[in-house]
Amino acid sequence: MRALVLHGIDDLRLEDMPVPEPGPGEVLIQVVACGVCGSDIPRIFTKGAHRYPLICGHEFSGLVTECGEGVDDLEKGAHVTAFPLLWCGKCPSCERGRYAQCLDYDYLGSRCHGAFAEYVKVPRRNVLRVPEGVSMEVAAMAEPAAVALHALRRAGGLSAGEVVAVFGAGPVGLMVAQWAEISGAGKVILFDVAPDKCALARQLGFRYCFNASETLTREVVDNLTDGLGVDIAIDAAGVPDTLTGCLEAAGIGGRVVLLGNPSADVLMPASLLSQTMRREISIVGSWNSVYSASGNRDEWQVVLQSMAASALLLNPLISHRVTLAHAPGMLRTVYEKTQTTMKVIIQPILG
Ligand SMILES: [Zn+2]
Ligand SMILES: [Zn+2]
């Protein structure tokens, strides 16, 4: 099979690899669509991966091609996606069903081979059926959509009418904003430094999207909340300015959620820390998503059902579609930011 294989930092090659063989309890999936995640860019170009050689890619959908021993509930050609975290099943976190916190996990596309390839091998317990009517491209966005939903849930639930600010209007930020709207937010305020991203946010119906480099966060928020500040602020970018922006935006009793992977140390002005204390702001971390091996109503099921009901507008988030052959150039474009990109989808099935 053709695969994009990472051999070291900034050493990505399109190569022929053997098609993986599904062992007992495993499923072989022909990859139709695989999204490029923000985390893939440092993995490929700057920080590196846990092991080499590695096939990246963890946001995917595809067709069941072959089932290993003991898997008898998926037919050939079934449309599927997958939870990319392979939990150990033995550690204290797994015992409590908190797979995202597994102490001894593997991860498709970061610790073991992922889906920037024609085929990927996945344990059956990680595989989910894509509901009818949901396109494979949209299904490939189940992972970031679940991550976005989880972040909002980490805020401790959203009561109808609450005001939410999202810092970072990339694909995940816009998914958080959509979940906030679906959950009954009174207002959703977005901040980004890229004018194109704000423009897309407005096209999606978010009238309050502001260029964070041209406006003062708290001023904007004060104007829109009668000086009260927001109830929930979500850092979907992970840069120092977005974290401080969240704390500035949050009102009394506000909740701040850390979602974007941190890109640098943050130096906090004492005055802002003092405000955080006075306003009794809660800061919570968010990591991955809640997945249930037994198919209970976890965040992934909510995502897939919302996709089927067209409650999430995910197609407009796709800015580029490329074949495996064109993917290295596209990944570099994302890294070097020579073009504004939103969700980039690699289509290995097309070559
Ligand atoms: Zn991802
Ligand atoms: Zn575990």
Side-chain angles (χ1 to χ4, degrees), residues 257-298:
V257 183
L258 309 182
L259 167 60
N261 279 328
S263 58
D265 294 345
V266 183
L267 185 66
M268 215 51 101
S271 58
L272 184 58
L273 282 177
S274 173
Q275 278 301 319
T276 302
M277 293 161 68
R278 284 167 192 274
R279 293 184 193 146
E280 298 203 325
I281 292 167
S282 306
I283 304 174
V284 296
S286 182
W287 194 249
N288 211 305
S289 53
V290 173
Y291 180 77
S292 157
S294 49
N296 287 320
R297 213 178 138 75
D298 60 8

Side-chain angles (χ1 to χ4, degrees), residues 7 43 46 56 63 77 203 219 227-228 245-246 255 278 312:
H7 288 273
R43 187 171 294 123
T46 54
C56 297
L63 308 169
Q203 273 172 36
E219 221 165 75
L228 292 175
C246 283
R255 293 97 81 195
R278 284 167 192 274
L312 286 169

Side-chain angles (χ1 to χ4, degrees), residues 87-91 94 102-104:
W87 65 93
C88 78
K90 295 174 206 142
C91 75
C94 284
C102 173
L103 301 176
D104 185 23

Side-chain angles (χ1 to χ4, degrees), residues 5-8 15 17 49 51-56 111-113:
V5 186
L6 188 65
H7 288 273
E15 290 178 343
M17 291 273 284
R51 51 154 273 197
Y52 302 107
L54 176 76
I55 301 172
C56 297
R111 290 162 188 255
C112 58
H113 288 329

